[in-house]
Amino acid sequence: MDFDKKKLISYIKRLNEPKILVVGDLAIDEMIYGDTERISREAPVLILQHTKTKLILGAASNAAHNVATLNNGKIKVIGVCGDDYQSGQLFERFKEAKVDAAYVVKDATRKTTTKTRISGSISTSITQQIVRIDRQTKDPLSRETENLVIENLKKAIPEVDAVILSDYHIGTLTKRVIDKTIEIANKHKKIVVVDAQKNLETYRNITSMTPNLPDTQKSVGFFINNDEDLKKAGDKLLKETRAKSILITCGADGMFVTEPNKKYTKIPVFNKSKVFDVTGAGDTVTAVYTLALAAGADSVYAALIGNIAASLVVKQFGCATTTISELLCAVENIL
């Protein structure tokens, strides 16, 4: 694709300006590491000698963390957590990441979503994930908690430039919360970007959305095998969501942007040979794409910046973030 490099750099330099709100399913990724010691005598399982535990912001929390590293903490989150030990860990990580969690609602009837990954290693091999344990409440929010979330939306949305709806389908984004978020954001003329895994047609009158290829296929009801299929899928999502653009992330095949009036742009993948871990890469794309839109970029340039950001975080293990300086270096090295 043809692009103006100076224009691209100018947008990247402005990523620290917009104020963002992330609304969605908050979570902690607990990474437990150990060195393989021996097989247990109690059962045919590995015994690991614990080496370290790392707590990382995951799900919608990861999108917020990605924003925070780029705009120096001009980021708020709205979601729900439990009133438990893990909620304390969540708030502590938000504080460390410079994410404003003042609008997060505690609900003692729910668990704070925590995804524990246990990984082992030996000196002659790479670290290998062995098992993942999920701790979460997937039921929709109670009416009382839903009301508290909506009251916080009314307070927070006027204070920001753009809103990210990050739906991991763990229960926070009920239809009422979704509709109210979009309604309030549109009333105040705010950008709204959706990152959801299913039911994409339920998000209407938004600025954009960033589904991946498998989730797009499920939503549109047909397999996508070529560019013509991508065009058809993008047009269908545009019509159903009344969005201004659709960004479909296609993994190793890059990205595809659909805009009204049959305008299509294919963006190649960067750093394809250096992929280590794609965990959280979608959160990075959505965060950077939204920041770029709020900084004045059009959908194509915003997607290009998001693509470059994804090429950086996939080189790291687990959910990761990037910075403006890293993005600027990548522009020089990749493009």
Side-chain angles (χ1 to χ4, degrees):
M1 60 171 290
D2 295 324
F3 62 89
D4 185 328
K5 192 171 182 179
K6 289 184 178 179
K7 192 175 178 181
L8 181 64
I9 290 172
S10 72
Y11 289 139
I12 292 174
K13 288 181 176 179
R14 298 212 301 268
L15 292 179
N16 63 348
E17 297 175 5
K19 299 174 183 177
I20 308 295
L21 170 67
V22 173
V23 183
D25 296 305
L26 309 179
I28 303 172
D29 285 345
E30 181 183 37
M31 318 294 285
I32 299 175
Y33 301 92
D35 291 331
T36 305
E37 191 173 78
R38 59 185 171 86
I39 300 294
S40 173
R41 294 178 181 178
E42 302 168 359
V45 296
L46 287 173
I47 293 178
L48 300 180
Q49 185 62 39
H50 178 265
T51 55
K52 64 180 178 179
T53 297
K54 187 176 182 182
L55 296 177
I56 302 171
L57 292 169
S61 311
N62 182 42
H65 191 192
N66 271 273
V67 171
T69 61
L70 289 163
N71 73 356
N72 196 32
K74 300 183 189 72
I75 172 71
K76 303 176 189 295
V77 289
I78 290 181
V80 179
C81 66
D83 189 8
D84 48 20
Y85 175 75
Q86 288 77 16
S87 69
Q89 293 180 313
L90 178 65
F91 280 102
E92 185 62 32
R93 286 298 296 121
F94 276 140
K95 184 178 179 181
E96 292 172 3
K98 297 182 180 179
V99 174
D100 183 350
Y103 292 120
V104 174
V105 176
K106 281 190 176 183
D107 182 341
T109 68
R110 302 179 71 86
K111 298 176 182 178
T112 300
T113 301
T114 307
K115 300 180 180 182
T116 300
R117 295 171 176 85
I118 300 175
S119 301
S121 63
I122 57 175
S123 58
T124 56
S125 182
I126 63 170
T127 299
Q128 174 67 50
Q129 182 174 316
I130 298 169
V131 67
R132 192 179 99 178
I133 304 167
D134 286 0
R135 182 183 191 278
Q136 59 191 8
T137 304
K138 298 187 75 171
D139 297 331
L141 302 182
S142 67
R143 191 71 172 185
E144 181 182 358
T145 299
E146 195 179 51
N147 288 340
L148 292 173
V149 169
I150 290 171
E151 285 306 308
N152 285 349
L153 288 169
K154 294 175 182 177
K155 298 172 188 174
I157 290 175
E159 300 173 347
V160 300
D161 301 302
V163 180
I164 296 172
L165 281 162
S166 181
D167 195 350
Y168 278 74
H169 305 281
I170 305 174
T172 301
L173 291 181
T174 62
K175 186 178 188 305
R176 187 162 167 249
V177 169
I178 291 168
D179 291 345
K180 281 294 182 181
T181 301
I182 296 171
E183 176 189 323
I184 297 166
N186 285 337
K187 176 183 175 182
H188 293 278
K189 295 181 171 55
K190 308 297 184 181
I191 290 168
V192 180
V193 176
V194 172
D195 181 16
Q197 298 173 355
K198 59 184 177 181
N199 304 326
L200 304 184
E201 71 284 351
T202 63
Y203 295 87
R204 296 182 179 178
N205 301 312
I206 58 174
T207 306
S208 192
M209 63 168 46
T210 59
N212 63 28
L213 192 61
D215 293 337
T216 299
Q217 291 179 149
K218 291 175 188 175
S219 182
V220 298
F222 56 84
F223 287 106
I224 298 173
N225 299 307
N226 50 47
D227 288 355
E228 288 306 310
D229 291 339
L230 278 169
K231 292 176 182 178
K232 183 180 175 183
D235 286 339
K236 185 173 183 181
L237 287 177
L238 268 183
K239 182 178 179 180
E240 289 177 346
T241 63
R242 302 170 195 157
K244 296 177 182 178
S245 66
I246 301 292
L247 168 60
I248 301 174
T249 60
C250 305
D253 293 320
M255 298 178 173
F256 194 85
V257 180
T258 301
E259 298 173 274
N261 302 316
K262 306 293 183 181
K263 183 179 178 183
Y264 312 105
T265 306
K266 192 170 186 178
I267 301 172
V269 72
F270 299 114
N271 203 35
K272 188 174 181 179
S273 63
K274 296 182 180 179
V275 174
F276 180 67
D277 186 356
V278 298
T279 304
D283 298 322
T284 299
V285 170
T286 303
V288 176
Y289 178 67
T290 305
L291 274 169
L293 289 174
D298 61 28
S299 297
V300 172
Y301 274 85
L304 182 58
I305 297 169
N307 198 11
I308 296 170
S311 76
L312 296 173
V313 300
V314 295
K315 292 191 286 185
Q316 305 175 57
F317 187 66
C319 291
T321 62
T322 189
T323 65
I324 288 177
S325 60
E326 288 173 342
L327 287 169
L328 291 172
C329 286
V331 170
E332 298 299 330
N333 296 331
I334 297 174
L335 303 180

